[in-house]
Amino acid sequence: MHIINLFQPVFRCLSIALVLYYLIKKKYKMIGSIILVFVLSYLPGMANRFLGIVIDPYSTMIYLIVLFMALYLGSSLGYYDRYWWWDRTIHFLSGVGFTGFGTAIININPDSKKIISLLFGFTFSVTLHVIWEVLEYVSDCLTHGNAQRWQKIHASVNHMPENAIQPAGLVDTMNDTICCMIGAGIATIIWWLIL
């Protein structure tokens, strides 16, 4: 068994340990995001089992890291507001990981040309990123949240430089999209060398 294949079971065990820790500490608000991360960790396996989509272990590992960074560390522990680079790092890594997902989807058909496979992987990654940004916006509108930092009053100044012309939400969305595209572009180049 390759060492990278151990990442997923260890990740799930650590998720369960975190849930137990917060149960003991009676910090119930923290448990929801960890359970969501745990449940979503099964998505690559379900894609393989039900759709025949085999996602490589490296893309799966990056996917799990992005889930943990975004849902638990970012949202529950407030890393988005603590570290200016947190959001951009997550979007960069999601660009890398989702390129592997897209490549796995197109590789179901073995007759696909390499360039078609990589182009699909890149566009699939960017598309998922855009959907993520739309879901953030809808969530903000429905729950009066501020995931995109477009509310006028917010303690975080991480996403809006003093000399910005556009509102912080636009700056945040554009920076996130650019980071995702850079990550997807780098991953596409790496996949080009591997395939």
Side-chain angles (χ1 to χ4, degrees):
M1 178 182 233
H2 197 268
I3 190 120
I4 196 79
N5 293 330
L6 292 175
F7 187 83
Q8 203 167 21
V10 169
F11 180 86
R12 289 183 183 137
C13 289
L14 289 174
S15 297
I16 293 169
L18 273 173
V19 168
L20 294 174
Y21 170 78
Y22 286 120
L23 280 173
I24 292 168
K25 292 289 188 179
K26 297 182 180 177
K27 294 185 177 184
Y28 304 115
K29 287 178 72 176
M30 304 300 284
I31 295 173
S33 64
I34 300 167
I35 290 173
L36 183 59
V37 168
F38 180 79
V39 169
L40 291 174
S41 75
Y42 285 93
L43 187 62
M46 291 188 326
N48 182 10
R49 183 173 190 162
F50 296 112
L51 301 172
I53 300 169
V54 181
I55 300 167
D56 68 280
Y58 297 103
S59 296
T60 300
M61 181 182 74
I62 292 170
Y63 166 73
L64 295 174
I65 291 169
V66 167
L67 280 179
F68 191 77
M69 287 177 69
L71 297 176
Y72 174 63
L73 296 175
S75 294
S76 294
L77 294 183
Y79 280 29
Y80 285 118
D81 294 327
R82 285 189 205 170
Y83 306 106
W84 66 267
W85 48 268
W86 194 258
D87 192 37
R88 289 179 182 90
T89 302
I90 289 171
H91 286 284
F92 174 82
L93 289 174
S94 71
V96 172
F98 288 148
T99 299
F101 278 39
T103 304
I105 290 170
I106 197 67
N107 282 335
I108 292 174
N109 181 357
D111 295 331
S112 299
K113 299 282 186 200
K114 182 160 99 169
I115 190 70
I116 300 298
S117 174
L118 294 172
L119 181 62
F120 182 83
F122 177 83
T123 57
F124 183 79
S125 175
V126 173
T127 301
L128 286 180
H129 171 76
V130 171
I131 291 169
W132 179 279
E133 289 297 323
V134 169
L135 291 175
E136 278 185 351
Y137 176 76
V138 170
S139 172
D140 283 352
C141 290
L142 295 176
T143 65
H144 303 289
N146 204 18
Q148 288 196 320
R149 309 299 189 251
W150 58 276
Q151 304 290 346
K152 290 186 179 187
I153 299 171
H154 192 272
S156 173
V157 292
N158 294 339
H159 295 81
M160 187 168 168
E162 289 180 15
N163 58 357
I165 298 170
Q166 300 295 331
L170 179 59
V171 173
D172 176 63
T173 301
M174 290 301 102
N175 286 332
D176 293 348
T177 303
I178 290 166
C179 287
C180 174
M181 292 177 75
I182 291 169
I186 290 171
T188 301
I189 292 167
I190 292 169
W191 276 103
W192 178 268
L193 298 172
I194 292 173
L195 292 179

